[in-house]
Each structure stands twice: as C-alpha cells, then as structure tokens.
Amino acid sequence: MRRYPCPVPRVLSCIQPTGVVHLGNYLGALRNWVVGQHECDAFHGIVDLHALTVTDRPGVLGTSTLELAATLFAVGLDPEVATVFVQSHVPEHAQLGWVMECTVSYGELSRMTQFKDKSAKREADFVSAGLFTYPALQAADILLYDADEVPVGEDQRQHIEITRDVAMRFNGRFGDTFVVPKIVTPRAGAKVTDLQEPTAKMSKSSNTDAGIVYLLDEPAAILKKFKRAVTDSDGEVRFDRAEKPGVSNLIEILAACTSRTPQQVAGEYTQYGPLKADAGEAVVEILAPIQHRYHELMGDKAELSRLLRTGAEKARAVASATLERTYTNIGMLSPE
Ligand code: TYM
C-alpha cells in the first residue's frame, strides 16, 4: 500500500551514533547506500533513540550524532539527493514505535540474537527494556517510509524479517497500511569480522580495538592492524568461511574494496603476508578521500546542522502521512 506516486523504489536504512564508524559498517551498509541514492528514493536515519538503549553518559550523544552526519556525507551521501535525518527530530518514529510494540509479540522479541548477545555482554550492567523492544522501534523506522528495500549488513537480517512479519500482521488486522520491505545485502562485505577474533563480527562493542578498523584510523594504524590479523597455521590461501575464517575475512575485505569476487582474489595469492599487506593497502586507499572530506565537513558544524534540519523536514512529510494512515486504519479517534 502506498499513498504517494513513486516512480523508483524507496530505500531506507539507519545507523546508530554509538562510537566511530568501522569498516564493517562501511562495507556492509554505507557503501550500498551511496550507490542506492542514485537508483532509488533514499532515506537514511541517524538513530539516536536506538542509541539510548546503551547510552548512560550525559552530553555525548549530540556530538556523536553530528560526527556521524559528517561521516555519512563524507562517504558520499549527497544531501541534495538522499534524505539524511536524525531519528529524534522526527517524532513519528517514537509514536509508530509504540504501535509496533503492540503488534510484535514477547516471544518474537525473545528470539532476537542481537538482544541475547548485547544483554549477555552487559551482564553486570543495566539492561534496559528498550534493548529488548528495540526491533519494534526499528520496524517503525522502516515502515514509516514505505520502504521497498533495506540495505544492511547480514547481522540485521533477523530485524528485517521481524519487520516483515509485523507489517503483514498489521495489514492483516487493520487493512493494507504498510509496504512489506525486503532486505538487500552486499555481494562482498555483508559480514566483516574482527581481525583479532575472525569468528565474531567487527563491532563497536568489541573489547579491544586491535581487530577493528575505524573509518578515521591513520594509514599506519590500519596497515598494522592488517599485518597482525589472526589467520591460521595451515598456510593455504582459500576462501572458506567455516574452516578458514581469518583468511576468508581478509579475502572478502580485499574483494569488497576492489570490486572483485572472493574467489577471484583467493586465486591470486599463495601466501598470507602479501594478502594481509594488499588488504591493508586497499582499505587505506578507499578511506583516504573519506577522511579528508570528514575533516572538511567537521569544520562547519552549523552547515551540518542545517543539512540535518532540511533532512528532518523531508522525512517528516513522509512519516507523518504514514502515522496518520496507521491511526486512521486502526480506527483511533481523530483529535479534529
Ligand atoms: P548498526 O548501527 O549496528 O550498524 C549500521 C549498519 O552497519 C552494518 N554492519 C555491518 N556490516 C557488515 N559487517 C559488520 N561487521 C557490520 N557491523 C555493522 C549493519 O548491518 C547496519 O546495516 N539496528 C541497526 C540500526 C537501525 C536500522 C533501522 C537499520 C535502526 N533502525 C532501520 C536499518 C533499518 C543497527 O544497530 O545498525
């Protein structure tokens, strides 16, 4: 169901402003967003309300939000083309989020592996109810924009599946209201793993920085991280995620950076050393112009804020119409 004429598919995807963006975010998601903005009607949110599930230090979130905005424009999102906005600037997210909490079941939320992982990691810490109901807010983020496609990394698959289930359940109960979105993942880079612990995904919440390549890392630091990447002792270069996770991760990163398939890359190496060095060089090369633009953009914070205000206005125009349609279809009493 769509209430506006839209000649091209609508895409929506979001990222949390928790810490510096890493190579997994870039290869798994952001790079696809940049390409997608020219083929689709693109909406991209900086989801600060989601970050509240794990944020307890005052005064940090606003700065991270602005830095993330600079990063998104630096990687190539064009504010004239894509709609880039901050989630809390569009109040309809929280409003539809509640409707989604009432549409998803406790059992469905209990099966989310991200909740299990994150709550286990925070064992001795505070585990908020928001961390548990997070996928309901994520479903709202997506459904508010009538998104046809959601470009994300592999780790978000379960959250997109639950969004589809919830959309179909709602449409079944209250009539055609939401577009049921589909997940889009990249050919290479959908699951970048930690260079020190190659069976775990590269993640902002890892214990050590040695296995994470940040978008703003200096070239020397990047090369060092690749040089020290954990591999295995059998010495054979082969793409095999299950048996050779470390080597396969390096192959996939190099493939993603040079637009080749992992199999093509694997065929070109017989030793780990050159593979590590070339993967590191390829990453340095791809990140250099991004870092340069990031620092330029951070020099004009007022302009960044202006771009985000424009983005929020465009986002609200779509989101408010969807929320109104939702309330109408449920049959809630209108204030007018
Ligand atoms: P977040 O902020 O953790 O990550 C942002 C994007 O980066 C991808 N990603 C990865 N891809 C490949 N390898 C990795 N190691 C890796 N780590 C992260 C993620 O898949 C994601 O696409 N819940 C979401 C944010 C969100 C969202 C949404 C996404 C909120 N609402 C609506 C899409 C649509 C999250 O925490 O992503």
Side-chain angles (χ1 to χ4, degrees), residues 7 13 46 66 69 72 74 78 94 97 104 119 132 138 145 149-150 165 184 231 237-238 244 252 273 275 299:
S13 198
I46 299 174
L66 204 68
L72 296 185
D78 180 346
V104 71
S119 54
F132 184 67
Q138 180 159 348
Y145 296 92
E149 296 175 5
V150 187
D165 292 345
V184 178
T231 48
V237 177
R238 177 161 53 86
K244 299 178 70 70
E252 195 165 333
L275 172 65

Side-chain angles (χ1 to χ4, degrees), residues 12-18 21-30 33 45 47 50 68 87 93 114 118 134-135 137-142 150-157 159-160 163 186 189-194 200-204:
L12 171 126
S13 198
C14 305
I15 179 166
Q16 291 195 61
T18 42
V21 169
H22 57 66
L23 189 64
N25 299 131
Y26 180 63
L27 296 180
L30 305 188
W33 301 2
V47 286
H50 278 278
L68 183 51
Q87 187 185 33
H93 285 255
Q114 187 162 305
K118 284 198 178 173
Y134 179 115
L137 184 58
Q138 180 159 348
D141 300 337
I142 298 168
V150 187
V152 282
E154 193 53 45
D155 63 324
Q156 293 301 315
R157 183 172 293 278
H159 290 162
I160 312 307
T163 300
K191 186 180 175 192
V192 176
T193 61
D194 190 296
K201 76 167 177 179
M202 189 176 281
S203 159
K204 294 173 199 161

Side-chain angles (χ1 to χ4, degrees), residues 54-208:
V54 292
T55 298
D56 48 21
R57 278 172 48 220
V60 175
L61 198 50
T63 305
S64 327
T65 300
L66 204 68
E67 288 169 353
L68 183 51
T71 307
L72 296 185
F73 296 129
V75 299
L77 281 181
D78 180 346
E80 300 285 323
V81 177
T83 302
V84 179
F85 63 94
V86 177
Q87 187 185 33
S88 66
H89 297 177
V90 183
E92 287 79 6
H93 285 255
Q95 290 173 287
L96 190 68
W98 177 252
V99 177
M100 292 298 117
E101 282 189 44
C102 298
T103 312
V104 71
S105 74
Y106 178 82
E108 283 168 319
L109 292 176
S110 309
R111 287 194 286 279
M112 294 295 109
T113 47
Q114 187 162 305
F115 171 72
K116 290 185 204 163
D117 289 351
K118 284 198 178 173
S119 54
K121 272 192 190 152
R122 297 176 67 79
E123 217 171 43
D125 223 328
F126 179 74
V127 177
S128 67
L131 196 60
F132 184 67
T133 59
Y134 179 115
L137 184 58
Q138 180 159 348
D141 300 337
I142 298 168
L143 300 179
L144 272 178
Y145 296 92
D146 291 338
D148 301 288
E149 296 175 5
V150 187
V152 282
E154 193 53 45
D155 63 324
Q156 293 301 315
R157 183 172 293 278
Q158 231 187 358
H159 290 162
I160 312 307
E161 276 165 8
I162 204 172
T163 300
R164 291 171 56 83
D165 292 345
V166 167
M168 287 189 272
R169 180 172 308 141
F170 189 98
N171 287 349
R173 278 185 191 158
F174 298 111
D176 221 1
T177 307
F178 298 122
V179 172
V180 180
K182 71 171 196 273
I183 183 172
V184 178
T185 53
R187 223 161 37 115
K191 186 180 175 192
V192 176
T193 61
D194 190 296
L195 296 182
Q196 286 301 313
E197 204 187 327
T199 50
K201 76 167 177 179
M202 189 176 281
S203 159
K204 294 173 199 161
S205 54
S206 294
N207 295 329
T208 133

